[in-house]
């Protein structure tokens, strides 16, 4: 008998409800227990449960799924100790494009691979199944591991794998800096590197650091493909990748950053300014438009995310329309005043423009 049923409903722990936990545990834990009770007295040759490595190693965003598979592993041990046939196979990712793995996006698969767990082909999976069924063990982990990926994990190599993947490695020589855009050196604190730079250079260095980790989380091979002005949501971040990026930046900066980090600071440009004030709190406050203010395209994207209803409810619609019209609201002013105001408006960034619209709305 082989039990392969399973459901995934991934999410951070705060988003899990009783219903979402039940939906995942029912086909795994409940069904396996019923099969155990119904077949306990039958002369079975095999009782195989398809579990997951998520129940043994850390499965980010899979608290419900990890619990369901840990139950299967425990049930197999329970039967095995009672002398009943039992084997729980805690599989790694099946990279076959079908089943539960078939629902993963390319980014999800790359993120899993980068954590050190590499996808198994159908041929590899079947060969591991054949080899496992004949083993005298209650629980086995048919998983394909990448030692380099395991060493690069944000939390380091999982404790139970450290005898397989030693963490001690020769220290790499320090790379030479290539100017303000260079990423932080591994053997120098981030604060000390920032201290000798101008504010524009500091922001540039932090943006490079952020973009490098964004690329790693999303599975890009080159950080140069990450546009620091684009929002995290726009480039494909979800709640799981948001947590992974936060964890990476915690390690890189030595800070304890909030879980809502990329929602509070939704682009590498915005996040770099926040990190600079956290790392060097004694420096003057970073100006909203300092060094890397959004260009016209970023401005249009920001305005485009606002619904007409929200702008109208905020009382800003008439003021924004007036600012966009020729001459603004300065129709009663002389030509010189109109020209001065138009130049002032053209020089405003997004925050200043919205603040001006709010001021005018309050004064009307």
């Amino acid at each position: 008998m082989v039990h392969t049923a399973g459901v995934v409903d991934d999410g951070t722990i705060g988003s899990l409800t009783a219903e979402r936990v039940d939906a995942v545990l029912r086909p795994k834990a409940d069904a396996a227990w019923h099969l155990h009770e119904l077949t306990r007295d039958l002369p079975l040759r095999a009782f195989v449960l398809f579990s997951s490595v998520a129940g043994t190693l850390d499965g980010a965003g899979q608290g419900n799924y990890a619990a369901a598979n840990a139950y299967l592993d425990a049930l197999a041990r329970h039967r095995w100790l009672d002398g009943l046939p039992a084997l729980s196979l805690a599989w790694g990712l099946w990279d076959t494009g079908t089943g539960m793995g078939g629902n993963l996006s390319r980014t999800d698969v790359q993120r899993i691979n980068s954590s050190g767990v590499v996808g198994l082909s159908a041929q590899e999976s079947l060969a591991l199944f054949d080899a496992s069924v004949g083993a005298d063990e209650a629980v086995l982990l048919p998983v394909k591991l990448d030692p380099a990926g395991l060493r690069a994990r944000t939390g380091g190599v999982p404790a139970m794998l450290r005898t397989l993947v030693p963490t001690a490695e020769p220290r790499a020589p320090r790379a030479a800096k290539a100017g303000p855009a260079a990423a932080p050196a591994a053997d120098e604190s981030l604060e000390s590197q920032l201290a000798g730079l101008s504010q524009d250079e500091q922001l540039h260095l932090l943006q490079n650091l952020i973009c490098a980790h964004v690329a790693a989380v999303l599975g890009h091979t080159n950080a140069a493909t990450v546009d620091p002005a684009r929002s995290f949501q726009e480039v494909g971040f979800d709640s799981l990748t948001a947590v992974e990026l936060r964890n990476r930046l915690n390690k890189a900066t030595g800070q304890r950053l909030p879980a809502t980090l990329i929602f509070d600071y939704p682009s590498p440009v915005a996040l770099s300014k926040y990190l600079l004030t956290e790392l060097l709190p004694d420096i003057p406050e970073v100006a909203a438009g300092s060094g890397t203010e959004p260009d016209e395209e970023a401005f249009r994207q920001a305005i485009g995310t606002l619904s007409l209803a929200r702008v109208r409810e905020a009382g800003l619609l008439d003021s924004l329309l007036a600012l966009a019209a020729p001459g603004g609201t300065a129709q009663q002013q002389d030509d010189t005043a109109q020209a001065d105001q138009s130049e002032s408006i053209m020089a405003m960034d997004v925050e200043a423009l919205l603040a001006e619209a709010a001021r005018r709305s309050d004064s009307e």
Side-chain angles (χ1 to χ4, degrees):
M1 190 216 74
V2 181
H3 172 46
T4 64
V7 170
V8 290
D9 187 4
D10 295 349
T12 53
I13 196 69
S15 69
L16 295 183
T17 62
E19 292 75 19
R20 294 182 67 181
V21 172
D22 285 344
V24 174
L25 262 67
R26 192 175 298 115
K28 283 276 190 181
D30 292 355
W33 180 256
H34 290 319
L35 287 173
H36 161 66
E37 289 191 316
L38 292 171
T39 64
R40 182 162 37 194
D41 298 324
L42 298 180
L44 297 180
R45 295 182 59 189
F47 185 94
V48 182
L49 305 169
F50 271 36
S51 174
S52 168
V53 71
T56 304
L57 305 179
D58 54 324
Q62 294 190 309
N64 48 3
Y65 190 63
N69 288 291
Y71 180 90
L72 295 190
D73 297 343
L75 176 59
R77 290 190 178 93
H78 171 73
R79 286 179 56 93
W80 193 73
L81 290 173
D82 280 349
L84 298 173
L87 173 62
S88 182
L89 296 177
W91 291 100
L93 173 67
W94 282 42
D95 191 10
T96 60
T98 60
M100 289 186 288
N103 296 323
L104 296 174
S105 67
R106 180 173 175 271
T107 298
D108 292 330
V109 173
Q110 289 177 327
R111 178 165 52 85
I112 293 171
N113 289 342
S114 67
S115 72
V117 178
V118 183
L120 293 162
S121 68
Q123 292 77 11
E124 290 172 325
S125 300
L126 292 174
L128 286 170
F129 178 84
D130 291 341
S132 300
V133 169
D136 187 20
E137 297 286 348
V139 180
L140 292 173
L141 277 69
V143 182
K144 189 175 182 179
L145 299 176
D146 172 26
L150 287 168
R151 293 190 185 99
R153 288 164 61 105
T154 303
V157 178
M160 66 172 51
L161 297 180
R162 287 174 190 163
T163 55
L164 293 175
V165 185
T167 57
E169 294 183 304
R171 188 170 183 173
R174 178 177 173 179
K177 292 185 179 180
D187 58 349
E188 185 178 353
S189 73
L190 190 54
E191 290 90 338
S192 64
Q193 294 177 73
L194 293 169
L197 303 176
S198 69
Q199 190 171 93
D200 284 352
E201 291 172 338
Q202 290 169 338
L203 291 170
H204 206 131
L205 184 141
L206 288 173
Q207 284 176 36
N208 284 346
L209 173 68
I210 295 165
C211 289
H213 285 288
V214 168
V217 169
L218 296 179
H220 298 175
T221 57
N222 189 349
T225 62
V226 179
D227 181 352
R230 294 184 69 189
S231 71
F232 295 113
Q233 184 177 12
E234 189 179 0
V235 299
F237 270 76
D238 56 22
S239 59
L240 300 183
T241 46
V243 171
E244 183 175 351
L245 179 62
R246 188 280 307 266
N247 291 344
R248 282 177 167 269
L249 292 177
N250 276 348
K251 184 177 181 180
T253 64
Q255 300 291 310
R256 188 177 180 83
L257 302 170
T260 57
L261 185 69
I262 75 165
F263 303 103
D264 297 334
Y265 308 95
S267 72
V269 168
L271 183 51
S272 66
K273 296 170 185 175
Y274 167 73
L275 288 181
L276 183 56
T277 59
E278 290 295 301
L279 291 164
L280 301 177
D282 295 332
I283 66 171
E285 183 177 355
V286 181
S290 174
T292 53
E293 65 183 25
D295 57 13
E296 182 178 354
E297 182 181 356
F299 167 81
R300 293 181 185 279
Q301 290 175 351
I303 293 298
T305 62
L306 299 174
S307 68
L308 184 62
R310 288 187 63 189
V311 175
R312 183 181 289 112
E313 289 171 3
L316 300 177
L317 180 59
D318 292 340
S319 297
L320 285 173
L321 291 176
L323 286 171
T329 59
Q331 296 292 344
Q332 291 80 30
Q333 301 179 21
D334 59 30
D335 292 341
T336 302
Q338 287 187 15
D340 290 345
Q341 186 183 50
S342 296
E343 290 179 5
S344 175
I345 290 172
M346 290 300 293
M348 289 181 181
D349 61 14
V350 177
E351 295 179 8
L353 182 59
L354 293 177
E356 174 66 10
R359 184 189 66 77
R360 295 188 183 202
S361 177
D362 291 340
S363 65
E364 292 174 354

